[in-house]
Amino acid sequence: MIHHTAAVLILVCLVASPNATAQSIASETISLRYDEKLVALGFPSPLLRAKVGGQSAWFLVDTGASVHTLASWLVSAAHLSTRETTATVTGSTGTGKPVRAVANQAILLEGGRLLELREAIVVEFPTNFATNKIGGLLSPQLLATGSDASVLDLRVPALRFEPFDSAVTNLNRERPISSAGLHVCLNTQSPFENRLYTAPVTADAIAGTMLVDTGATSTLAAPSSSIADSLKGKASERTKARGVGGNAQVMSKAPGVKLEYGGASSTLAITIGGAVPPCDADGLIGMDALRRCVLVLGESAVAWSCDAQ
């Protein structure tokens, strides 16, 4: 079985602009799901069930994606028109490929709500995306409009939109929530506005920062990071990872690592390897840790809170 270290970490030269996201989204909560079958196959991300061009599919809700992304199988099945771009897409194993783009595409949610994607890239994902009817990925931070933030509750899971300050205030009534050490990361080389997020972590008492990535199956330390250096002597396992390009890569794995993050701690295995993450991050914090967290993803600020073990 292929283990997806970061099935949907997307690094593109051309990313979605703030106007290339959903239009007129109501403020009510959007229910997401976890699917046991897909979790067992290495897809523990929160899921959105929707239709595109009459084709029903799962979409991964992925904070590590810099642009909304549709799988090529879905684009073909739904007979969507595409255009060529000069952008490239890079998966977690470092393989880059040119991409096409789809414009002004409506995604119909269960219950009749529409998300209008003004632009999305098209990627040739591994064959298990088509086999399991995974139609692509949505970047939740790009779905909020105006001054709203995206509030992604990974415990439930659910997604809603509200002003950043009020979201933090409301969450503080029930749980401590913090923005200390968290940063909004922008690709200043892109002609379009874009956002990713990094957060402080410690792994076996070694401090670092990791990209907050709900598209990553497991937490990963970049090979050149101080976290990876400290864990190499502990690494006793091997695992296969497959990025969006479809090429598998064997990586080492350090079991029994104490990861501290967002007011919580977990003991888990950390994968060592993969491409260097964006935003000068030391790695990716994935769903093995984030499943217990609430994320408030704003345009200029980010906050989180994670349940203690």
Side-chain angles (χ1 to χ4, degrees):
M1 181 178 71
I2 297 299
H3 177 79
H4 298 272
T5 300
V8 287
L9 173 63
I10 301 296
L11 312 177
V12 292
C13 298
L14 176 64
V15 298
S17 71
N19 293 324
T21 58
Q23 300 283 318
S24 303
I25 300 175
S27 59
E28 65 263 21
T29 297
I30 297 174
S31 294
L32 307 176
R33 304 181 195 175
Y34 293 118
D35 182 86
E36 291 184 4
K37 175 186 174 184
L38 292 180
V39 170
L41 292 173
F43 296 101
S45 304
L47 301 166
L48 187 65
R49 189 73 177 176
K51 288 184 178 180
V52 173
Q55 297 291 318
S56 183
W58 293 109
F59 291 88
L60 307 179
V61 178
D62 181 13
T63 60
S66 60
V67 63
H68 302 303
T69 306
L70 298 181
S72 58
W73 76 262
L74 177 63
V75 171
S76 296
H79 305 291
L80 304 183
S81 298
T82 65
R83 62 178 178 82
E84 292 185 358
T85 76
T86 58
T88 59
V89 60
T90 302
S92 60
T93 54
T95 302
K97 285 191 174 184
V99 297
R100 297 170 289 150
V102 170
N104 300 317
Q105 182 57 54
I107 293 183
L108 177 64
L109 307 185
E110 291 179 332
R113 292 182 61 185
L114 285 173
L115 299 182
E116 192 73 26
L117 305 182
R118 295 264 313 266
E119 185 170 40
I121 63 171
V122 182
V123 169
E124 187 72 33
F125 286 106
T127 55
N128 55 0
F129 274 66
T131 301
N132 294 286
K133 298 296 181 182
I134 301 173
L137 41 128
L138 299 177
S139 175
Q141 61 266 35
L142 299 181
L143 292 175
T145 59
S147 61
D148 280 353
S150 298
V151 182
L152 182 59
D153 190 338
L154 296 165
R155 304 164 307 166
V156 177
L159 176 65
R160 66 180 185 276
F161 308 98
E162 61 180 299
F164 183 87
D165 289 342
S166 67
V168 170
T169 298
N170 291 336
L171 285 169
N172 257 328
R173 294 192 182 107
E174 62 175 86
R175 60 195 300 114
I177 188 163
S178 173
S179 59
L182 283 88
H183 295 285
V184 179
C185 171
L186 304 177
N187 177 3
T188 58
Q189 301 304 308
S190 171
F192 300 96
E193 188 172 352
N194 59 94
R195 295 189 306 278
L196 291 172
Y197 304 95
T198 61
V201 303
T202 62
D204 279 356
I206 302 299
T209 62
M210 288 188 171
L211 190 76
V212 179
D213 189 357
T214 60
T217 298
S218 62
T219 298
L220 177 146
S224 59
S225 67
S226 58
I227 291 176
D229 285 341
S230 71
L231 296 178
K232 284 177 182 176
K234 194 174 185 176
S236 59
E237 302 178 17
R238 289 287 183 266
T239 186
K240 282 187 177 181
R242 188 185 296 276
V244 294
N247 296 318
Q249 184 182 76
V250 177
M251 301 182 190
S252 59
K253 202 170 188 180
V257 178
K258 183 180 180 181
L259 188 74
E260 297 177 89
Y261 58 99
S265 67
S266 296
T267 300
L268 44 77
I270 291 185
T271 301
I272 300 172
V276 177
C279 311
D280 295 320
D282 295 309
L284 315 173
I285 182 167
M287 284 299 294
D288 52 348
L290 293 174
R291 179 72 179 261
R292 295 154 49 205
C293 299
V294 181
L295 310 175
V296 183
L297 308 171
E299 182 176 2
S300 59
V302 54
W304 67 347
S305 181
C306 303
D307 289 343
Q309 201 168 35

